[in-house]
Amino acid sequence: MTVITGAASGMGRECVETLRGLADAIVVVDLEAPAIDGTIGLACDIADPAAVAALVDEVRRLGPLRALVHAAGISPSMADARRVFEVDLVGTHYLLEGFEVLVQPGAAAVCFSSSAAYQIAPFVDPDQDALIDDPGAAEFLDRIASVITDSGHAYALAKRGVIRAVGRAAVRWGPLGGRVNSVAPGLIDTPMGRMELDVQPMMGQMLERTPLGRLGDPKEVAAAVHYLVSDEASFISGIDLLVDGGMMQGLGDLS
């Protein structure tokens, strides 16, 4: 069974097509159950722990887990800082912990981070890392929203948290025979990506400094995801893979 969140559009939708044939069935997940030929559509709000628990139970009923691709998320222009943390980081935490009970030898997960996590890295202090490393804490959202109020800052920090959560999950999943990695897209030609490009002037400057000189195609990100969940990547776990056309190098070494 392959499970893909955020499957209704964008890079998640492209992953559906790219990963056909990896397992016997594909479960496609979004806020409303997607209707995609040859798949099983389920609805889930990933920021709701009860909804994630119900999703895990349904996948358990449908068959053994081969791959989890977590592409669901929101961008800075779509919500305030608190909601960005809730969906992009806390939701990832719920999924990685929830699906851990389904891990068997050969299972693999790929979460979506972002190149924004690398851009913010030089400006993150140890206290912030300690905070984003505990997204399951009862007061997490109240605490983080009290210190981070800008949604763009929240997005970058949440995606940094995703990378760190993937590393911790790789340690837990490994003894069970499972692998966990993430991909960090740069500027990708999706509806969400175009929206951010239109409203944030800085994005245009980032595109100008991308060595390949263009937006990425969702297919190129999906190809990276396919590799990471495939048996060809059977000894790769706990990493984040930049898929950014060299953008971070074009921006300079910010690390």
Side-chain angles (χ1 to χ4, degrees), residues 159-180:
K159 292 301 187 178
R160 178 178 173 86
V162 168
I163 294 172
R164 295 169 72 88
V166 160
R168 296 191 301 273
V171 174
R172 299 194 310 269
W173 285 36
L176 304 173
R179 300 181 296 107
V180 188

Side-chain angles (χ1 to χ4, degrees), residues 155-227:
Y155 178 81
L157 196 57
K159 292 301 187 178
R160 178 178 173 86
V162 168
I163 294 172
R164 295 169 72 88
V166 160
R168 296 191 301 273
V171 174
R172 299 194 310 269
W173 285 36
L176 304 173
R179 300 181 296 107
V180 188
N181 294 292
S182 56
V183 293
L187 302 177
I188 307 300
D189 192 5
T190 65
M192 185 185 296
R194 286 284 184 181
M195 179 181 69
E196 295 299 321
L197 193 62
D198 288 342
V199 301
Q200 297 191 39
M202 178 185 67
M203 302 282 280
Q205 298 170 19
M206 292 162 59
L207 179 57
E208 290 176 0
R209 297 184 66 175
T210 297
L212 290 184
R214 62 175 176 85
L215 296 174
D217 190 298
K219 291 184 175 65
E220 294 171 308
V221 180
V225 172
H226 184 277
Y227 170 68

Side-chain angles (χ1 to χ4, degrees), residues 143-156:
R143 292 177 61 198
I144 197 79
S146 70
V147 294
I148 306 295
T149 58
D150 177 77
S151 60
H153 188 178
Y155 178 81

